[in-house]
Structures are given as C-alpha cells and as structure tokens.
Amino acid sequence: MTETTQRRRRAGGRAGNARRGGTAAIAQMDWRIPLNCDAPTEPLGPEGVAAIHDGAMRILEEIGIEFLNAEALEILREAGCTIRGQNVRMGRDFVMEMVAKAPSQFTITPRNPARELPIGGKNMVFVNVSSPPNYWDMETGKIPGTREKCQNLLKLTQYFNCIHIAGGYPVEPVDVHASVRHLDVLFDKLTLTDKVSHAYSLGKERVEDVMEMVRIAAGLTQEAFEAKPHMYTNINSTSPLKHDEPMLDGYMRCVRRGQATVVTPFTLAGAMAPVTMAGAVAQSLAEALCVIALAQYIRPGAPCVIGTFTSNVDMKTGAPAFGTPEYMRATQMTGQMARFYGLPMRGSGVCAANVPDGQSMWETSNSLWSAVQSGTNMVYHAAGWLEGGLIASPEKFVMDCEVIQQIQRYFEPETFATGVDDIAFDAIKDVGNEGHFFGIQHTQDRYETAFYQPFLSDWRNYEGWRLDGSEWTAERAHRIYKSILNEFEAPPMDAAIRDELSDFVARRKAEGGAPTDF
C-alpha cells in the first residue's frame, strides 16, 4: 500500500465502500475504532466527585433499591445485603469491593472477528438507533415499524463503517408477533450484518434464544461462546430506584455465560429524578452500581458497562428533552464518575425533534459531542433517533453518520500533527507576503486528503446549489439512503451456518417462541 493510499484512507471521504463490480453510493471513511485523543471535560472538582459518590452510596445504604426479582434478592441476601421485602440496601464497602472486580476494558467479538470491538479506555464505538416503535421517511411520513423497515435500517447499520454495533431493533417490527419477533429480527441482524449484536432482556426465552443464535452464527461451541463476550445486553432501571423482573433475569443470564452487560438508568431530572443534575446523577449511579455489584458477585470479572441517560424534562409540559446543556453536563459528570469507578461508559446520541430538521441535528450533535467530552466508550442511538426515541428515520441515520464521521476525523492525528511538513515553514516562505497556497507543491501533494470531505454536506454557493435542484439536507439524505439500499450486499455467511440458523428459528417458532401478555 502506498503512502498516498494510506493517507487517503485516514482522511475520510475519499476511500469508498465500493460495491463489488460497481460504484459506491457514497465515499465514506474505512472501518476503524476511533480513539478519543482529547482530555475529558471534568466539571467536578475533587470535592464534587466525593459529594456525588457519597450521595450515591447513601442512597444504596439508607434508602435502598427495589429488586423485583426473587433470584436476585436471594443472591444479594447471600452476599450480606439487607433485604426487606424487595428493598435491598448495600454498604458502600461491599459496592466498591464488587465494582473493583469489573474490568476497565474488554472486547466483544462478533461472527466476523475483523469487527471485534474494544470497549473501554480511549476507544469510542457507535451504535445504531434502537427500539423506536415508529418509522419516518420522506415518502411514508410517520408509520408503525415493520420488518421491512427494520431490515432497511439494518442495511444502513452494516453499510456505514462509522457504525460499529447492531444494537436493539432499529425499529420495532410491529407486524411480527411479539412472541417470535426476536427470532426474525436476530436472523435478519445476523445475516444482514456481521457486527456486534444485542439481546433484549425481556424474559429468559428471548435472551437464551439470542445467545444461541449468536453462537450458531459465529460457529462456536458452547465453551468457546462462554469463554469471552460475543454479544451484550443493555438493561434500564425503572426509575426511581427500581429494577424489574425480566431485565434482571436476562442480565444475570448474560453475566453467567460471560457476555457483556450494560446498565443504563433512565433518569429524567424533574420527573424520575431530582431536578438538580447532581442529584439526578447520584441517583443514576446508585441505580447502576447496585446491579454491577450483583454481576461481580455472581461472576467476578464479568464485563460490565455503566450507562447514563440523564436528561431533563420540559417543566411546562413534562416532555423529555435531549441534547440540552443539562444533558451535556450530566453526561460529562457521569463520565468523570465512571473513571472514578474504573468502568467503561455508555452514552447516547439523542434528540427530541420530530423530523430530521435543524433542531434534530443541533440536539444530536450536542449529545454526540458531550459523549466525546465525557470520554464515553459506547454511544447508543448514535444514528437515526427522533421524537425522543419514538421514531427511527433513515434520513436522520444518514445525517447523523455525517456528524459521526466528522468526529472520527477530528480524532485523527493528522488534524493536530506538528512535524516539519505540518508546520510548513518552507511553504509559507515560498508564498511570502503575496500570492496564495492553492498552486504550490506543498498543497498539491496533500489537496486530496488535507481536509475532511463530506458525503452529505453541500459546500457550493447558493447559485450552484439552486441550479442543481435546490435539495435540502434531508432530501439529499433520502436519496443517499435509497442508493445504499439499491447497492447493498449482505456480508458473506457459510451456507451451513445460515441453514442451522434457519432451522433454529423454525424450531423455536414451532415451540411458540417467547410467552407474551396478549
């Protein structure tokens, strides 16, 4: 590989994702694991860290957390916690002893080992939108999610190199019965993508089925599957101060089988948490740390991530708000506390906007950059999220990937290199006090890769833009989305493995799948 080619691949926008035998819908950056080279923003002084830690510990010691799961209660009783009904109180010494057993960094290896992800340290990976019940694009408007729309969003997840994880259902396919939905979506996810997958902790059947399907897709024995993480689950607390039955059940099943877990309290300041951000963060930490302590008691060294989803509500309407100044500070504060506890952290790229407009982008951009500032390792909902998580949109997905690529480029060493050629004294001397730098050799040698090249932004003047059709950003994103679908090719999968997956899905469907309440 030539030096020029290496520079081109690093710069972004020039190295394509070309279809075999054809042309790419866009020129995008190659697959990479971004390394966050910036020092994190730390709004808390040492006394602030101590105060929030003490607040979280006092919540666990004096108020307690409701564990609505009999098995978890018995495990924590055995561990020496104080159990009163479903209320669990645990001492700070126990919590800190358990949390100290969790690794600060680990890897998750999907069916394609080339997509292995390091979680923790300075690594930063991005996850697609997960779980909205509704879908929106410029042709359909807002409609309930379907399997076809879910498949299309999975294709975007696979296509974009800046998306590292195929998280939960990118939109809920409500046309598939809930008892078998996990089987169909995981089959689609494992055949349309080769990236890290996720299991919803919504009952033992769903978790166990997903773990088995991930194992089959990777061609692993049971022993090899359990030897290291190949997937993960994310659970949310029921704020304030509760963890429910099915999520704890699925969480513990993944812990026992060596799979990664994320616990993300959903603490909206002013509604499900105190109106002050320090209070909301302290509550969020308490709700997360107690479950991480449970995981470490069950399996010391279990790979765990602490998540934050602390934002505020609109005090006029009660509606959730995202990408606000308070959201950004809460994320930064939680990142500081995650480092205090030595845990990898999950953040989110979220907004409250209803369509992919200016509001959607400034709120999501605030969210994404607060993840950068906080040292977040796993960014959930990084592409495609609208209406506070009630809508998934392919146009928004494409627009968000433009921002994510800019973040990745921002991290590249070339943007802050200070070598002799970077200082460019001779070039400055050649141009002197007159002339320009466009035509000199220093520029000619670097013009293709000197700056980030967008695939979505339009940098032409108004007249050029108008003469070319006057496309607004969302319209360009829609066109790109359709081009990606037209050229999409699923990653290869051994025919025998695909058949085994199909047989497993058919058998589990015949058995009834997972029980439902309807």
Side-chain angles (χ1 to χ4, degrees):
M1 182 183 296
T2 67
E3 181 181 352
T4 301
T5 302
Q6 290 175 326
R7 286 201 307 269
R8 182 176 299 149
R9 289 190 174 182
R10 289 194 298 264
R14 295 296 183 183
N17 185 32
R19 180 184 182 187
R20 292 186 295 274
T23 59
I26 62 169
Q28 64 168 314
M29 299 173 78
D30 286 347
W31 168 270
R32 68 194 68 192
I33 309 300
L35 292 177
N36 187 343
C37 51
D38 283 8
T41 300
E42 298 196 331
L44 302 172
E47 69 287 348
V49 171
I52 289 180
H53 170 64
D54 183 64
M57 294 301 104
R58 288 191 64 198
I59 292 169
L60 293 176
E61 291 174 330
E62 300 175 31
I63 302 172
I65 308 292
E66 299 287 308
F67 278 73
L68 310 182
N69 181 288
E71 182 185 8
L73 288 171
E74 287 308 307
I75 292 169
L76 292 170
R77 190 190 310 276
E78 176 190 290
C81 299
T82 301
I83 313 295
R84 294 176 182 171
Q86 294 179 316
N87 182 271
V88 178
R89 299 184 186 182
M90 51 183 69
R92 66 184 66 199
D93 290 344
F94 168 76
V95 174
M96 295 302 285
E97 178 187 354
M98 292 298 106
V99 170
K101 298 178 186 294
S104 60
Q105 185 168 325
F106 58 88
T107 60
I108 310 179
T109 308
R111 72 176 181 91
N112 179 359
R115 304 286 199 182
E116 182 175 80
L117 298 179
I119 307 297
K122 292 185 175 295
N123 302 293
M124 189 174 191
V125 300
F126 296 90
V127 190
N128 62 349
V129 61
S130 302
S131 307
N134 301 301
Y135 171 92
W136 184 99
D137 73 27
M138 297 193 72
E139 294 178 357
T140 66
K142 183 179 177 180
I143 59 173
T146 66
R147 186 177 183 184
E148 178 190 10
K149 302 305 184 187
C150 184
Q151 290 169 336
N152 289 345
L153 290 166
L154 286 171
K155 292 174 183 178
L156 291 183
T157 298
Q158 175 66 16
Y159 182 91
F160 277 101
N161 294 326
C162 63
I163 301 299
H164 302 91
I165 294 177
Y169 312 159
V171 67
E172 287 276 349
V174 297
D175 58 337
V176 179
H177 194 272
S179 62
V180 297
R181 187 177 299 165
H182 65 291
L183 296 168
D184 283 342
V185 176
L186 261 293
F187 181 84
D188 293 341
K189 186 180 294 187
L190 292 170
T191 54
L192 293 174
T193 84
D194 60 0
K195 299 180 179 181
V196 167
S197 292
H198 154 277
Y200 285 109
S201 286
L202 296 172
K204 66 178 183 179
E205 291 84 4
R206 291 179 178 86
V207 172
E208 295 290 352
D209 285 346
V210 171
M211 286 195 286
E212 182 63 5
M213 291 176 72
V214 170
R215 183 195 70 78
I216 292 169
L220 299 170
T221 64
Q222 296 288 352
E223 293 75 17
F225 175 79
E226 296 182 10
K228 60 181 295 188
H230 296 278
M231 49 155 287
Y232 74 100
T233 191
N234 175 88
I235 69 166
N236 306 109
S237 53
T238 306
S239 301
L241 308 180
K242 291 186 184 70
H243 284 283
D244 70 19
E245 161 73 31
M247 286 201 173
L248 285 171
D249 179 86
Y251 183 89
M252 291 187 292
R253 289 175 186 276
C254 286
V255 167
R256 288 193 173 99
R257 297 193 64 189
Q259 303 310 298
T261 57
V262 184
V263 55
T264 309
F266 186 12
T267 45
L268 286 175
M272 296 126 71
V275 73
T276 56
M277 301 317 294
V281 169
Q283 179 185 311
S284 174
L285 292 171
E287 292 178 3
L289 291 171
C290 63
V291 179
I292 293 173
L294 170 65
Q296 298 307 315
Y297 186 80
I298 293 172
R299 183 169 176 153
C304 294
V305 175
I306 189 168
T308 176
F309 209 78
T310 298
S311 192
N312 57 285
V313 296
D314 179 354
M315 296 304 289
K316 297 177 182 178
T317 66
F322 298 103
T324 63
E326 293 80 10
Y327 176 94
M328 296 177 74
R329 280 303 192 198
T331 303
Q332 294 164 1
M333 292 160 69
T334 306
Q336 200 167 350
M337 298 307 298
R339 287 185 292 280
F340 175 79
Y341 297 117
L343 294 168
M345 188 175 103
R346 176 219 139 161
S348 296
V350 287
C351 68
N354 297 308
V355 293
D357 59 4
Q359 177 189 334
S360 78
M361 294 315 296
W362 73 61
E363 290 178 349
T364 299
S365 187
N366 284 349
S367 300
L368 292 173
W369 280 102
S370 72
V372 172
Q373 295 165 342
S374 65
T376 291
N377 303 112
M378 176 188 286
V379 187
Y380 236 68
H381 310 302
W385 166 293
L386 285 173
E387 201 193 356
L390 296 177
I391 291 175
S393 163
E395 290 91 352
K396 179 66 162 36
F397 198 114
V398 173
M399 293 160 71
D400 289 338
C401 284
E402 179 79 281
V403 178
I404 296 167
Q405 280 208 158
Q406 292 182 25
I407 290 171
Q408 291 191 162
R409 173 58 177 166
Y410 169 85
F411 289 149
E412 294 295 326
E414 291 88 339
T415 63
F416 53 91
T418 57
V420 172
D421 287 342
D422 302 295
I423 300 299
F425 178 85
D426 289 340
I428 297 169
K429 182 179 179 181
D430 288 344
V431 173
N433 303 100
E434 298 179 2
H436 57 74
F437 288 82
F438 278 117
I440 68 170
Q441 193 61 46
H442 185 272
T443 302
Q444 292 297 308
D445 289 343
R446 296 163 178 80
Y447 80 94
E448 284 190 317
T449 60
F451 310 121
Y452 175 77
Q453 294 294 313
F455 64 83
L456 179 62
S457 298
D458 190 331
W459 288 350
R460 295 171 296 177
N461 62 20
Y462 178 86
E463 287 73 22
W465 168 78
R466 183 169 59 84
L467 286 170
D468 198 29
S470 308
E471 274 190 323
W472 286 52
T473 306
E475 294 172 322
R476 292 195 300 277
H478 181 79
R479 175 169 48 80
I480 289 171
Y481 156 60
K482 288 304 184 75
S483 296
I484 290 170
L485 292 189
N486 287 337
E487 76 164 41
F488 181 81
E489 292 184 3
M493 173 178 275
D494 182 88
I497 288 178
R498 187 183 180 96
D499 289 345
E500 187 177 357
L501 271 179
S502 297
D503 291 345
F504 178 84
V505 169
R507 176 173 64 80
R508 288 292 295 121
K509 283 185 175 182
E511 294 170 351
T516 63
D517 295 330
F518 52 94

